[in-house]
Each structure stands twice: as C-alpha cells, then as structure tokens.
Amino acid sequence: MSLSEQQPALTFEHVSKLYETAESEARSVLDDLSFRVETGRTVAIVGRSGSGKSTLLNLASGIDVPTTGEVSLFGQTLSALSDEARTLLRRDRVGLIFQFFHLIQHLSVRDNIALPAMISDEKPKAFDNRVDRLLDRVGLLDRAGDPVQKLSGGEMQRVAICRALLMDPKLLLADEPTGNLDDENGDRVMELMLSLAREEGMTLVYVTHSREFAELADDVWEIHGGRIEHSVKRTAQSGTAKP
Ligand SMILES: Nc1ncnc2c1ncn2[C@@H]1O[C@H](COP(=O)(O)OP(=O)(O)OP(=O)(O)O)[C@@H](O)[C@H]1O
Ligand SMILES: [Mg+2]
C-alpha cells in the first residue's frame, strides 16, 4: 500500500452522522463536516458534552462509518478499502488513546504495550527495544513487570500512550486523555503526549474539555450544532498558554 506523506493525515469531506434512536427518528450528530488536518499538526477538539467529539474521532479512526460523506487517512478513502485493508491501515498508521485507558488490568505493563504486536502477525520480541525506549521516555521503565492494576491512573495513561505509539503511528487520536486524571497527572500526560507527537513528527488530534489544554495545540476546533469551526485561541490576549 503506498501512502504519500504529502497527503493530509486526515480529511473529512461532507461528513454527516445520524444515529438511529428508539423513537425511529434519527438523531443528527455531525452535519456536513469538511476539514483537513495537515501532516504534523496538533489539533484540539472542544465542544459540549454530546456535541459529537467522540463520534468524530471514531469516524477518523474508521471504528465507525459516516452516514454520508468520506473520511480519508493519508489520502486513502476509508470507504474504498476492504475491511482488512482498513484494519491494517489503522494498525500501522493510527494510535488511539482513551479516557479510561482500555488496558488489560492483570497483564504486565510490558505486555500491555506489546499487545498491538502480539495481536498482529509481528513478532512481539522484535519490539522489546521499542517498549523499553518508550517506557524510559515516560518514566516507567522500572514498572515494566508490574501488573497494570498496581499503577496509578496517571501511570496507566502513560502506559496507554506507549501502547498507542508502539507501531510508530503517523496519526495519534486521543479522546479526553486527561479526563480521568487529577490536575497534576493531567498536566504531565498532556505535556508528554504533545512532546512525543512533536518529537516523532506525528499528527495529533485530541479531544479535551480543558480550555488550557486545548490552547497547547497548533489549532483549536469547536464542534457546535453538528458543525465544526475554528475556535480562536485566546493565547495572544490572555497569555495563559504555557511556553
Ligand atoms: N451508538 C450510538 N447510538 C445512538 N446515539 C449515539 C451513539 N453514540 C453517540 N450517540 C449520541 O450522539 C451524540 C454525540 O455523542 P458523542 O459521544 O460523540 O459526544 P461527545 O461530544 O463525545 O460527548 P462527551 O463530551 O460527553 O464525551 C450524543 O447525543 C450521543 O447520545
Ligand atoms: Mg466523548
């Protein structure tokens, strides 16, 4: 599969999403969204609860499909791919981070991180060095053998970041990665995610409820009434952004 780095990492073209409801009338969540995320950008998505932020990320990763319109990753239109090709594209190119970490509690830190290699046909052993390097980077190398259930929430999210980065994705999608963390751990996880994305030249799209965290991104977009709009960063006026 040839994928051009010159293509935008993510493109939505006239994407709408309706959910069927019990009352037969479909609920429109996203309405004719068109936007693109250029390779290497960091984008924060904000919006009220229920505005469609998770829906947007699920469409971006191909976990869910739009009702109408097209989603493309690195120039590949997802609907034009077979299920298998779409799964491979997601596995090889996209890292996912969730609010509730989605780790396997009884498995060790190391095995959780190596999981994407274990469930693919890759040889997990070949990833040992990468797992060590990632654990070292997030400050958890000494916890590699511990079961995940012994970790704090902030530590679990750092493990989840390592797992998302294992296959060296070009696009990282994070749905409220700090939503379940206290301020101090939230700060640390956000700083880590942004610096890793920038160090590795990844494109990062993350959902957040925190205006402060949103303003650390290159761009802030707000979902409102099914549409998406650029939200003006307050950095210049308020000076609240971190250096
Ligand atoms: N599978 C589904 N079936 C029906 N309705 C759904 C489904 N998934 C989401 N919705 C509805 O779509 C709307 C958007 O949901 P979504 O989870 O994308 O919101 P969100 O912006 O992520 O909210 P939050 O900030 O609370 O996480 C909500 O009204 C939700 O109830
Ligand atoms: Mg959500």
Side-chain angles (χ1 to χ4, degrees), residues 36-50:
R36 58 169 54 190
V37 180
E38 300 296 343
T39 301
R41 299 292 286 181
T42 57
V43 176
I45 310 274
V46 298
R48 288 168 48 185
S49 180

Side-chain angles (χ1 to χ4, degrees), residues 39-243:
T39 301
R41 299 292 286 181
T42 57
V43 176
I45 310 274
V46 298
R48 288 168 48 185
S49 180
S51 58
K53 304 180 299 296
S54 295
T55 299
L56 182 143
L57 285 196
N58 290 340
L59 297 177
S61 66
I63 288 173
D64 199 359
V65 292
T67 309
T68 56
E70 297 286 2
V71 176
S72 304
L73 289 177
F74 305 100
Q76 299 265 333
T77 303
L78 294 182
S79 64
L81 299 175
S82 66
D83 285 351
E84 192 191 356
R86 197 159 49 238
T87 303
L88 285 177
L89 179 64
R90 181 160 65 233
R91 189 194 76 188
D92 294 342
R93 288 269 164 160
V94 183
L96 300 171
I97 300 172
F98 304 94
Q99 179 174 355
F100 295 105
F101 323 136
H102 293 197
L103 298 170
I104 299 178
Q105 294 293 317
H106 66 274
L107 284 186
S108 70
V109 164
R110 174 179 296 286
D111 286 352
N112 266 279
I113 297 171
L115 214 54
M118 288 179 187
I119 58 180
S120 69
D121 32 3
E122 311 280 351
K123 300 231 172 349
K125 278 272 159 223
F127 287 82
D128 276 358
N129 286 343
R130 175 130 178 101
V131 172
D132 284 351
R133 203 171 67 76
L134 287 167
L135 275 173
D136 192 31
R137 178 65 183 80
V138 305
L140 289 173
L141 192 51
D142 59 335
R143 308 299 299 272
D146 282 349
V148 151
Q149 61 207 359
K150 288 197 179 168
L151 304 185
S152 73
E155 289 166 345
M156 286 187 198
Q157 193 59 300
R158 277 143 63 198
V159 171
I161 290 173
C162 292
R163 181 190 54 191
L165 297 185
L166 181 76
M167 307 298 266
D168 199 15
K170 297 290 172 252
L171 173 64
L172 199 53
L173 301 174
D175 195 351
E176 295 192 53
T178 63
N180 209 30
L181 303 178
D182 61 29
D183 286 352
E184 191 186 329
N185 278 298
D187 278 350
R188 178 150 192 208
V189 160
M190 189 55 69
E191 186 277 326
L192 199 55
M193 208 179 60
L194 279 159
S195 41
L196 280 165
R198 286 173 176 145
E199 279 163 29
E200 308 224 355
M202 281 182 298
T203 311
L204 168 65
V205 180
Y206 62 95
V207 167
T208 181
H209 276 112
S210 156
R211 190 75 212 184
E212 184 193 356
F213 287 157
E215 290 184 5
L216 299 173
D218 297 330
D219 304 300
V220 183
W221 294 349
E222 181 165 7
I223 304 187
H224 181 72
R227 311 303 291 254
I228 196 161
E229 51 198 54
H230 277 263
S231 174
V232 177
K233 296 220 294 181
R234 292 182 306 183
T235 315
Q237 292 90 8
S238 65
T240 52
K242 292 179 178 171

